[in-house]
Coordinates of all heavy atoms in Angstrom, one line a residue:
M1 N -30.6 -3.9 -30.1 CA -30.6 -4.5 -28.8 C -31.8 -5.5 -28.7 O -32.9 -5.3 -29.2 CB -30.8 -3.4 -27.7 CG -30.3 -3.8 -26.4 SD -30.2 -2.5 -25.2 CE -28.6 -1.8 -25.5
C2 N -31.5 -6.6 -28.1 CA -32.6 -7.7 -28.0 C -33.8 -7.2 -27.1 O -33.6 -6.6 -26.1 CB -31.9 -8.9 -27.3 SG -33.1 -10.2 -26.8
E3 N -34.9 -7.5 -27.7 CA -36.2 -7.1 -27.0 C -37.1 -8.3 -26.8 O -38.3 -8.1 -26.5 CB -36.9 -6.0 -27.8 CG -36.2 -4.7 -27.6 CD -36.8 -3.6 -28.5 OE1 -37.8 -3.9 -29.1 OE2 -36.3 -2.5 -28.4
C4 N -36.5 -9.5 -26.8 CA -37.3 -10.7 -26.6 C -37.8 -10.7 -25.1 O -37.1 -10.3 -24.2 CB -36.5 -11.9 -26.9 SG -35.8 -12.0 -28.5
P5 N -39.1 -11.1 -24.9 CA -39.6 -11.0 -23.5 C -38.9 -11.9 -22.6 O -38.8 -11.6 -21.4 CB -41.1 -11.4 -23.7 CG -41.2 -12.1 -25.0 CD -40.1 -11.5 -25.9
R6 N -38.5 -13.1 -23.0 CA -37.8 -14.0 -22.1 C -36.6 -14.6 -22.9 O -36.7 -15.2 -23.9 CB -38.8 -15.2 -21.8 CG -38.3 -16.1 -20.7 CD -38.3 -15.5 -19.3 NE -37.7 -16.4 -18.4 CZ -36.4 -16.4 -18.0 NH1 -35.6 -15.5 -18.5 NH2 -36.0 -17.2 -17.1
V7 N -35.4 -14.4 -22.2 CA -34.2 -14.9 -22.8 C -33.7 -16.0 -21.9 O -33.4 -15.8 -20.7 CB -33.2 -13.8 -22.9 CG1 -31.9 -14.4 -23.5 CG2 -33.7 -12.7 -23.8
H8 N -33.6 -17.2 -22.4 CA -33.2 -18.3 -21.6 C -31.6 -18.4 -21.6 O -31.0 -18.0 -22.5 CB -33.7 -19.7 -22.2 CG -33.6 -20.8 -21.3 ND1 -32.4 -21.6 -21.1 CD2 -34.4 -21.3 -20.3 CE1 -32.6 -22.5 -20.2 NE2 -33.8 -22.3 -19.7
L9 N -31.2 -18.8 -20.5 CA -29.7 -18.9 -20.2 C -29.0 -19.6 -21.3 O -27.9 -19.1 -21.7 CB -29.5 -19.7 -18.9 CG -28.2 -19.8 -18.3 CD1 -27.6 -18.4 -18.0 CD2 -28.2 -20.6 -17.0
Y10 N -29.5 -20.6 -21.8 CA -28.8 -21.4 -22.9 C -29.0 -20.8 -24.2 O -28.4 -21.4 -25.2 CB -29.4 -22.9 -22.8 CG -29.2 -23.5 -21.5 CD1 -30.3 -23.7 -20.7 CD2 -27.9 -23.8 -21.0 CE1 -30.1 -24.3 -19.4 CE2 -27.7 -24.3 -19.7 CZ -28.8 -24.5 -18.9 OH -28.7 -25.0 -17.7
E11 N -29.7 -19.7 -24.4 CA -29.8 -19.0 -25.7 C -28.8 -17.9 -25.7 O -28.8 -17.1 -26.7 CB -31.2 -18.5 -25.9 CG -32.3 -19.6 -26.0 CD -33.7 -19.1 -25.9 OE1 -33.9 -17.9 -25.8 OE2 -34.6 -19.9 -25.9
V12 N -28.0 -17.7 -24.7 CA -27.1 -16.6 -24.6 C -25.7 -17.0 -25.0 O -25.2 -18.0 -24.5 CB -27.2 -15.9 -23.3 CG1 -26.1 -14.8 -23.1 CG2 -28.6 -15.3 -23.0
E13 N -25.1 -16.2 -25.8 CA -23.7 -16.4 -26.2 C -22.9 -15.2 -25.8 O -23.4 -14.1 -25.8 CB -23.8 -16.5 -27.7 CG -22.6 -17.1 -28.4 CD -22.9 -17.2 -29.9 OE1 -23.5 -16.3 -30.5 OE2 -22.5 -18.2 -30.5
F14 N -21.7 -15.4 -25.3 CA -20.8 -14.3 -24.9 C -19.9 -13.9 -26.0 O -19.0 -14.7 -26.3 CB -20.1 -14.6 -23.6 CG -21.1 -14.7 -22.4 CD1 -21.7 -16.0 -22.1 CD2 -21.4 -13.6 -21.7 CE1 -22.6 -16.1 -21.1 CE2 -22.3 -13.7 -20.7 CZ -22.9 -14.9 -20.3
K15 N -20.1 -12.8 -26.6 CA -19.3 -12.4 -27.7 C -18.3 -11.3 -27.2 O -18.7 -10.4 -26.4 CB -20.1 -11.8 -28.8 CG -20.8 -12.9 -29.6 CD -21.5 -12.3 -30.8 CE -22.2 -13.4 -31.6 NZ -22.9 -12.9 -32.8
L16 N -17.1 -11.3 -27.8 CA -16.1 -10.3 -27.5 C -16.2 -9.1 -28.4 O -16.2 -9.3 -29.6 CB -14.7 -10.9 -27.6 CG -13.6 -10.2 -26.9 CD1 -13.8 -10.1 -25.4 CD2 -12.3 -10.9 -27.2
A17 N -16.5 -7.9 -27.9 CA -16.6 -6.7 -28.7 C -15.5 -5.8 -28.2 O -15.7 -5.1 -27.2 CB -18.0 -6.1 -28.5
G18 N -14.4 -5.7 -28.9 CA -13.3 -5.0 -28.4 C -12.7 -5.6 -27.2 O -12.3 -6.7 -27.2
M19 N -12.7 -4.8 -26.1 CA -12.2 -5.3 -24.8 C -13.3 -5.8 -23.9 O -13.0 -6.3 -22.8 CB -11.4 -4.2 -24.1 CG -10.2 -3.7 -24.9 SD -8.9 -5.0 -25.0 CE -8.2 -4.9 -23.4
V20 N -14.5 -5.7 -24.3 CA -15.6 -6.2 -23.4 C -16.3 -7.4 -23.9 O -16.4 -7.6 -25.1 CB -16.6 -5.0 -23.1 CG1 -16.0 -4.0 -22.2 CG2 -17.1 -4.4 -24.4
V21 N -16.8 -8.2 -23.0 CA -17.6 -9.3 -23.4 C -19.1 -8.9 -23.3 O -19.6 -8.4 -22.3 CB -17.4 -10.5 -22.4 CG1 -18.3 -11.7 -22.8 CG2 -15.9 -10.9 -22.5
V22 N -19.8 -9.1 -24.4 CA -21.2 -8.7 -24.5 C -22.1 -10.0 -24.6 O -21.9 -10.8 -25.5 CB -21.4 -7.9 -25.8 CG1 -22.9 -7.5 -25.9 CG2 -20.5 -6.7 -25.8
P23 N -23.0 -10.1 -23.6 CA -24.0 -11.2 -23.7 C -24.9 -11.0 -24.9 O -25.5 -10.0 -25.0 CB -24.7 -11.2 -22.4 CG -24.3 -9.9 -21.7 CD -23.2 -9.3 -22.5
T24 N -25.0 -12.0 -25.8 CA -25.8 -11.8 -27.0 C -26.8 -13.0 -27.1 O -26.5 -14.1 -26.7 CB -24.8 -11.9 -28.2 OG1 -23.8 -10.9 -28.0 CG2 -25.5 -11.7 -29.5
H25 N -28.0 -12.6 -27.5 CA -29.1 -13.6 -27.6 C -28.9 -14.3 -29.0 O -29.0 -13.7 -30.0 CB -30.4 -12.9 -27.5 CG -31.6 -13.8 -27.4 ND1 -32.9 -13.5 -27.8 CD2 -31.6 -15.1 -27.0 CE1 -33.6 -14.5 -27.5 NE2 -32.9 -15.5 -27.0
K26 N -28.7 -15.6 -28.9 CA -28.5 -16.4 -30.2 C -29.7 -16.3 -31.1 O -29.6 -16.3 -32.3 CB -28.3 -17.9 -29.8 CG -26.9 -18.2 -29.3 CD -26.7 -19.7 -29.1 CE -25.5 -20.0 -28.2 NZ -25.5 -21.4 -27.9
N27 N -30.9 -16.3 -30.5 CA -32.2 -16.4 -31.3 C -32.3 -15.2 -32.2 O -32.8 -15.3 -33.3 CB -33.4 -16.5 -30.4 CG -33.5 -17.9 -29.7 OD1 -32.5 -18.5 -29.6 ND2 -34.7 -18.3 -29.3
C28 N -32.0 -14.0 -31.8 CA -32.2 -12.8 -32.6 C -30.8 -12.2 -32.9 O -30.8 -11.3 -33.8 CB -33.1 -11.8 -31.9 SG -32.4 -11.2 -30.3
G29 N -29.7 -12.6 -32.3 CA -28.4 -12.1 -32.7 C -28.1 -10.7 -32.1 O -27.1 -10.1 -32.5
S30 N -29.0 -10.2 -31.2 CA -28.7 -8.9 -30.6 C -28.2 -9.0 -29.2 O -28.4 -10.0 -28.5 CB -30.1 -8.1 -30.6 OG -30.6 -8.1 -31.9
A31 N -27.5 -7.9 -28.8 CA -27.0 -7.9 -27.5 C -28.1 -7.7 -26.5 O -29.1 -7.1 -26.8 CB -26.0 -6.7 -27.4
L32 N -28.0 -8.2 -25.3 CA -29.0 -8.1 -24.3 C -29.1 -6.7 -23.7 O -28.1 -6.0 -23.6 CB -28.7 -9.1 -23.1 CG -28.6 -10.6 -23.4 CD1 -28.6 -11.3 -22.1 CD2 -29.8 -11.0 -24.3
G33 N -30.3 -6.3 -23.4 CA -30.5 -5.0 -22.7 C -30.1 -5.1 -21.3 O -29.9 -6.3 -20.8
P34 N -30.0 -4.0 -20.5 CA -29.6 -4.0 -19.1 C -30.5 -4.9 -18.3 O -30.0 -5.6 -17.4 CB -29.8 -2.6 -18.7 CG -29.9 -1.8 -19.9 CD -30.4 -2.7 -21.0
K35 N -31.8 -4.9 -18.5 CA -32.7 -5.7 -17.7 C -32.5 -7.2 -17.9 O -32.6 -8.0 -17.1 CB -34.2 -5.3 -17.9 CG -34.6 -4.1 -17.1 CD -36.1 -3.9 -17.2 CE -36.5 -2.7 -16.4 NZ -37.9 -2.3 -16.6
Q36 N -32.3 -7.5 -19.2 CA -32.1 -8.9 -19.6 C -30.8 -9.4 -19.1 O -30.7 -10.5 -18.6 CB -32.2 -9.0 -21.1 CG -33.6 -8.9 -21.7 CD -33.5 -8.5 -23.1 OE1 -32.7 -7.8 -23.6 NE2 -34.5 -9.1 -23.9
A37 N -29.8 -8.5 -19.1 CA -28.5 -8.9 -18.6 C -28.6 -9.2 -17.1 O -27.9 -10.1 -16.5 CB -27.5 -7.8 -18.8
E38 N -29.4 -8.4 -16.4 CA -29.6 -8.5 -15.0 C -30.3 -9.9 -14.7 O -29.9 -10.6 -13.8 CB -30.5 -7.4 -14.5 CG -30.4 -7.2 -13.0 CD -31.3 -6.0 -12.6 OE1 -31.0 -4.9 -13.1 OE2 -32.2 -6.1 -11.8
Q39 N -31.3 -10.2 -15.5 CA -32.0 -11.4 -15.3 C -31.1 -12.6 -15.6 O -31.1 -13.6 -14.9 CB -33.2 -11.5 -16.3 CG -34.1 -12.7 -16.1 CD -34.7 -12.8 -14.7 OE1 -35.3 -11.9 -14.2 NE2 -34.5 -14.0 -14.1
L40 N -30.3 -12.5 -16.6 CA -29.3 -13.5 -17.0 C -28.4 -13.8 -15.8 O -28.1 -15.0 -15.5 CB -28.5 -13.1 -18.2 CG -27.3 -14.0 -18.6 CD1 -27.8 -15.3 -19.2 CD2 -26.4 -13.3 -19.5
Q41 N -27.9 -12.8 -15.2 CA -27.0 -12.9 -14.0 C -27.7 -13.7 -12.9 O -27.1 -14.6 -12.3 CB -26.6 -11.5 -13.5 CG -25.3 -11.5 -12.9 CD -24.8 -10.1 -12.8 OE1 -25.5 -9.1 -12.8 NE2 -23.5 -9.9 -12.6
K42 N -29.0 -13.4 -12.7 CA -29.7 -14.1 -11.6 C -29.9 -15.6 -12.0 O -29.8 -16.5 -11.2 CB -31.1 -13.5 -11.5 CG -31.0 -12.2 -10.7 CD -32.4 -11.6 -10.5 CE -32.3 -10.2 -9.9 NZ -33.6 -9.5 -10.0
D43 N -30.2 -15.8 -13.3 CA -30.4 -17.2 -13.8 C -29.1 -18.0 -13.7 O -29.0 -19.1 -13.3 CB -30.8 -17.2 -15.2 CG -32.3 -16.8 -15.4 OD1 -33.0 -16.7 -14.4 OD2 -32.7 -16.6 -16.5
L44 N -27.9 -17.3 -13.9 CA -26.6 -17.9 -13.8 C -26.4 -18.3 -12.4 O -26.0 -19.5 -12.1 CB -25.5 -16.9 -14.3 CG -25.1 -17.0 -15.7 CD1 -24.1 -15.9 -16.0 CD2 -24.4 -18.3 -16.0
V45 N -26.6 -17.4 -11.5 CA -26.4 -17.7 -10.1 C -27.3 -18.9 -9.6 O -26.8 -19.8 -8.9 CB -26.7 -16.4 -9.2 CG1 -26.8 -16.7 -7.7 CG2 -25.7 -15.3 -9.5
K46 N -28.5 -18.9 -10.1 CA -29.4 -20.0 -9.7 C -28.9 -21.3 -10.3 O -29.0 -22.4 -9.6 CB -30.8 -19.8 -10.3 CG -31.7 -19.0 -9.4 CD -33.1 -18.9 -10.0 CE -33.9 -17.7 -9.3 NZ -35.1 -17.4 -10.1
S47 N -28.4 -21.3 -11.5 CA -27.9 -22.5 -12.2 C -26.7 -23.0 -11.4 O -26.4 -24.2 -11.5 CB -27.5 -22.2 -13.6 OG -26.3 -21.6 -13.8
W48 N -26.0 -22.2 -10.7 CA -24.8 -22.6 -9.9 C -25.3 -23.2 -8.5 O -24.5 -23.6 -7.7 CB -23.8 -21.5 -9.7 CG -23.1 -21.0 -10.9 CD1 -22.9 -21.8 -12.0 CD2 -22.6 -19.7 -11.2 NE1 -22.2 -21.0 -12.9 CE2 -22.1 -19.8 -12.5 CE3 -22.6 -18.5 -10.4 CZ2 -21.5 -18.6 -13.0 CZ3 -22.0 -17.4 -11.0 CH2 -21.5 -17.5 -12.3
G49 N -26.6 -23.1 -8.3 CA -27.1 -23.6 -7.0 C -27.2 -22.6 -5.9 O -27.4 -23.0 -4.7
F50 N -27.0 -21.3 -6.2 CA -27.1 -20.3 -5.2 C -28.4 -19.5 -5.4 O -28.8 -19.2 -6.5 CB -26.0 -19.3 -5.2 CG -24.6 -19.9 -5.1 CD1 -23.8 -20.1 -6.1 CD2 -24.2 -20.3 -3.8 CE1 -22.5 -20.6 -6.0 CE2 -22.9 -20.8 -3.6 CZ -22.1 -21.0 -4.7
E51 N -29.1 -19.2 -4.3 CA -30.3 -18.3 -4.4 C -29.8 -16.9 -4.2 O -29.0 -16.6 -3.3 CB -31.3 -18.7 -3.3 CG -32.0 -20.0 -3.6 CD -32.8 -20.0 -4.9 OE1 -33.4 -18.9 -5.2 OE2 -32.8 -21.0 -5.7
P52 N -30.4 -16.0 -5.0 CA -30.1 -14.6 -4.9 C -30.5 -14.1 -3.5 O -31.5 -14.6 -2.9 CB -30.8 -13.9 -6.0 CG -31.3 -14.9 -6.9 CD -31.3 -16.2 -6.1
D53 N -29.8 -13.1 -3.0 CA -30.1 -12.5 -1.7 C -31.5 -11.8 -1.6 O -32.0 -11.7 -0.5 CB -29.0 -11.6 -1.2 CG -27.7 -12.3 -0.9 OD1 -27.8 -13.5 -0.6 OD2 -26.7 -11.7 -1.0
E54 N -31.9 -11.3 -2.7 CA -33.2 -10.5 -2.6 C -34.4 -11.3 -2.2 O -34.6 -12.4 -2.5 CB -33.5 -9.9 -4.1 CG -32.4 -9.0 -4.5 CD -32.6 -8.7 -6.0 OE1 -33.7 -8.2 -6.4 OE2 -31.7 -8.9 -6.8
Ligands
ZN1 ZN1 -33.5 -11.8 -28.4

């Protein structure tokens, strides 16, 4: 599992593993951890021009 401190949105690749899509960090080739996936989702929302509700 990826343990890089900061994963940038553009360094993430979505790979298909069986029936699920797994966000994968291109730099290290590992799948993102739950916290990184959460951060990625926030970054995605921001990149679309929406601010998270929190
Ligand atoms: Zn990584």
Side-chain angles (χ1 to χ4, degrees):
M1 205 172 270
C2 170
E3 284 175 4
C4 303
R6 186 75 182 95
V7 179
H8 196 272
L9 186 60
Y10 303 109
E11 295 168 2
V12 174
E13 199 173 37
F14 292 90
K15 286 191 178 173
L16 196 64
M19 297 293 283
V20 286
V21 176
V22 180
T24 306
H25 191 202
K26 281 184 200 171
N27 290 24
C28 64
S30 303
L32 300 192
K35 278 190 178 172
Q36 288 161 324
E38 197 177 303
Q39 184 59 51
L40 171 72
Q41 210 166 18
K42 285 179 187 169
D43 288 350
L44 266 175
V45 170
K46 273 185 198 165
S47 78
W48 294 332
F50 300 105
E51 284 300 322
D53 287 337
E54 296 170 55

